[in-house]
Amino acid sequence: MEKENLIRNALQNSDSEIDKLVQAEAERQQYGLELIPSENFSSQAVREAMASPMNDKYAEGYPRKRYYGGNQVIDTVEELAIERAKQLFKCEHVNVQPYSGSPANAAAYFAVLNPGDTIMGMALAHGGHLTHGHKVNFSGKLYKTAQYGLSKETGKIDYDEIEKMAKEHQPKIIVSGATAYPREFDFKRFSEIAESVGAYSMADVAHIAGLIAGGVHQSPFPHTDIVTTTTHKTLRGPRGAMIMCREEDKLKEKYHAKSKWNLAQRIDRAVFPGLQGGPHEHQIAAKAVAFGEALKPEFKDYAAQIVKNAKVMSEILIEKGFDLVTGGTDNHLMLIDLTNKNITGQEAETALDKAGITVNKNAVPYDTRSPFDPSGIRLGTPAITTRGLKESECKYVAELIDKTINNHNNEEKLTEIRQEVKELCSKFLLYEL
Ligand code: DSN
């Protein structure tokens, strides 16, 4: 990518305290390696849309049907975001108003479930998400849940086991998608299982949306009823989310026979007025910009490069004796069980931070340690790929990770690695600072 401006003239003049912190964060990003797989660097165009006067407009309702005046321009922006998203994901209906991933999932459930219905989703401890039915989250409090895990032998999804669980628990919705799963999802199989028990199929593709848009991961369409995603991960847009679905409710007779709404209408009504108030139109403008970027042919190259980079890093890490859950990766992320390296996830995260390499500690399937200091770390390539790193640099990054883990108690060595990280980052600058 080209170096970008961080325009903040007014901020510098009016609030130097916050401005200095913005500068400090930009420097941290510029001279460190960002390997958290859910993070990315949005373009300057996306950030300019976020910082535009669109921030200031209230627009409850939907395009051409608003509760406030003055929405002529806003309507066009939201219509563009919807049209671009439809084109990108080849889906029938899109709602671009969800503020973020958790509210998107909440609205999806509100659209089709009643309190007390059963959600089946992947357990957080195996790589799922809080909103897929965890007991401390609204999804596990309002609804009954059945949580599936990964195979103990392979670390992969066991579709036969999910089918068995679905028959036993008779869920009303089956959720696929994860935050720490390094393999491809078989959305067709998920939907077949859902259909066999008369459940809705939902895919939360937040992590892999950019890979789907770029054609390097299978699409959940046309198999899946409801698809939610954030817009800021591999999709490289602003913080935010959207819900995509088919128009028709295939289970209308079974669950909503008396309702006059189809699935698309139920989703829209669940987002507003069901859950949210005024949509964040600056964020929606920025989503439209990001979808426009993702529709360009270069985005396909970007998505393919994310996967190539992850593959090469995983090969080097395996060579260096790291235990990758599932034995590798098909997508943008790697989950590493550090037990054989005699270091905990928290210790590794701290040492890597000192070296300027940002990852997050993460539980591995069947982890016996606490989530506050689990056995693993999770890392991925979307952000470093955006800044221009290719296979040869990614090999080097994997070597730096190995060196850091081997020297995690050696402050002098960590300082040396920090310098190597800075030198690498200086060749791939993000901002004009
Ligand atoms: N926080 C996100 C992630 O890191 O995967 C999930 O919401």
Side-chain angles (χ1 to χ4, degrees):
M1 66 183 277
E2 297 291 313
K3 261 191 299 182
E4 294 182 341
N5 283 322
L6 270 187
I7 304 157
R8 47 184 223 283
N9 302 342
L11 187 60
Q12 261 161 357
N13 292 334
S14 76
D15 191 332
S16 61
E17 201 177 355
I18 293 294
D19 179 64
K20 281 198 187 98
L21 293 169
V22 172
Q23 170 84 11
E25 174 58 14
E27 277 173 17
R28 189 196 68 81
Q29 292 180 12
Q30 173 113 303
Y31 296 107
L33 288 168
E34 187 54 73
L35 293 180
I36 292 179
S38 48
E39 294 185 13
N40 211 333
F41 301 113
S42 56
S43 69
Q44 185 168 342
V46 165
R47 284 183 279 110
E48 283 180 11
M50 282 289 273
S52 72
M54 299 274 167
N55 177 67
D56 302 328
K57 187 72 194 100
Y58 258 125
E60 273 97 332
Y62 287 101
R64 315 296 159 193
K65 282 174 285 186
R66 304 283 187 184
Y67 289 86
Y68 290 72
N71 276 304
Q72 299 80 357
V73 180
I74 294 289
D75 280 351
T76 307
V77 166
E78 192 165 329
E79 282 165 349
L80 268 172
I82 292 167
E83 280 319 306
R84 289 178 185 179
K86 278 188 184 172
Q87 208 184 325
L88 193 56
F89 289 96
K90 298 177 185 58
C91 56
E92 291 177 15
H93 181 78
V94 182
N95 186 307
V96 291
Q97 293 193 0
Y99 302 144
S100 205
S102 297
N105 288 349
Y109 299 148
F110 293 167
V112 293
L113 306 182
N114 292 313
D117 285 342
T118 302
I119 297 175
M120 203 171 123
M122 190 190 281
L124 179 67
H126 284 236
H129 189 255
L130 279 169
T131 57
H132 296 181
H134 195 283
K135 63 178 190 303
V136 301
N137 181 259
F138 81 92
S139 59
K141 289 180 192 276
L142 266 186
Y143 305 105
K144 292 196 200 88
T145 64
Q147 301 270 274
Y148 59 86
L150 300 169
S151 151
K152 200 156 194 174
E153 289 71 49
T154 62
K156 294 185 184 173
I157 291 174
D158 180 343
Y159 291 92
D160 293 338
E161 180 58 27
I162 292 176
E163 189 164 12
K164 221 162 79 194
M165 275 184 73
K167 289 206 163 75
E168 187 190 332
H169 294 275
Q170 293 291 312
K172 192 164 168 186
I173 196 164
I174 299 183
V175 184
S176 57
T179 60
Y181 188 63
R183 296 295 177 177
E184 184 151 7
F185 288 91
D186 186 345
F187 292 120
K188 185 162 178 281
R189 183 79 200 272
F190 264 110
S191 299
E192 284 164 359
I193 297 171
E195 209 172 322
S196 74
V197 295
Y200 288 99
S201 55
M202 171 169 148
D204 174 348
V205 300
H207 263 257
I208 53 171
L211 306 184
I212 295 166
V216 292
H217 189 294
Q218 64 174 272
S219 168
F221 294 113
H223 317 293
T224 313
D225 295 309
I226 304 173
V227 178
T228 60
T229 184
T230 50
T231 47
H232 50 273
K233 297 186 174 91
T234 46
L235 201 48
R236 210 165 56 180
R239 298 305 288 232
M242 65 176 158
I243 307 177
M244 300 172 271
C245 65
R246 60 170 106 253
E247 292 279 348
E248 175 209 355
D249 184 347
K250 285 168 104 186
L251 294 170
K252 190 163 190 311
E253 281 315 303
K254 181 169 179 186
Y255 293 122
H256 305 113
K258 291 203 186 105
S259 164
K260 60 179 177 182
W261 313 113
N262 66 20
L263 184 59
Q265 288 163 327
R266 298 185 78 80
I267 292 285
D268 283 351
R269 292 173 60 80
V271 173
F272 175 86
L275 180 68
Q276 298 188 167
H280 296 175
E281 293 294 343
H282 61 309
Q283 190 190 40
I284 290 173
K287 286 174 193 174
V289 174
F291 302 155
E293 290 174 356
L295 281 164
K296 292 190 181 144
E298 305 86 276
F299 194 83
K300 284 199 167 21
D301 302 334
Y302 166 62
Q305 192 64 50
I306 291 177
V307 176
K308 281 188 215 159
N309 284 351
K311 199 99 8 233
V312 97
M313 274 183 76
S314 70
E315 282 162 10
I316 300 291
L317 290 167
I318 290 167
E319 242 175 69
K320 303 275 182 199
F322 284 90
D323 179 7
L324 269 66
V325 174
T326 78
T329 179
D330 295 331
N331 59 22
H332 62 301
L333 73 80
M334 285 147 272
L335 183 60
I336 305 178
D337 184 343
L338 293 165
T339 311
N340 67 343
K341 295 278 179 187
N342 294 318
I343 179 172
T344 69
Q346 180 61 68
E347 285 165 349
E349 181 189 297
T350 306
L352 287 161
D353 230 355
K354 286 183 187 163
I357 301 172
T358 312
V359 305
N360 68 276
K361 59 179 175 284
N362 213 99
V364 298
Y366 305 96
D367 210 326
T368 49
R369 298 184 57 83
S370 121
F372 295 105
D373 190 6
S375 302
I377 50 171
R378 182 186 69 152
L379 50 122
T381 52
I384 56 171
T385 305
T386 292
R387 67 190 293 178
L389 275 67
K390 294 226 163 57
E391 286 94 320
S392 60
E393 292 89 14
C394 285
K395 278 187 190 165
Y396 178 50
V397 172
E399 281 158 10
L400 291 175
I401 292 171
D402 178 51
K403 208 166 12 163
T404 306
I405 300 296
N406 292 338
N407 294 284
H408 67 276
N409 284 326
N410 183 338
E411 293 295 328
E412 208 177 308
K413 219 47 197 173
L414 293 180
T415 309
E416 263 174 53
I417 303 168
R418 179 76 191 94
Q419 197 48 40
E420 288 186 71
V421 167
K422 264 194 192 147
E423 278 161 28
L424 174 63
C425 291
S426 303
K427 296 187 196 138
F428 297 90
L429 292 175
L430 289 164
Y431 307 118
E432 202 82 66
L433 290 176

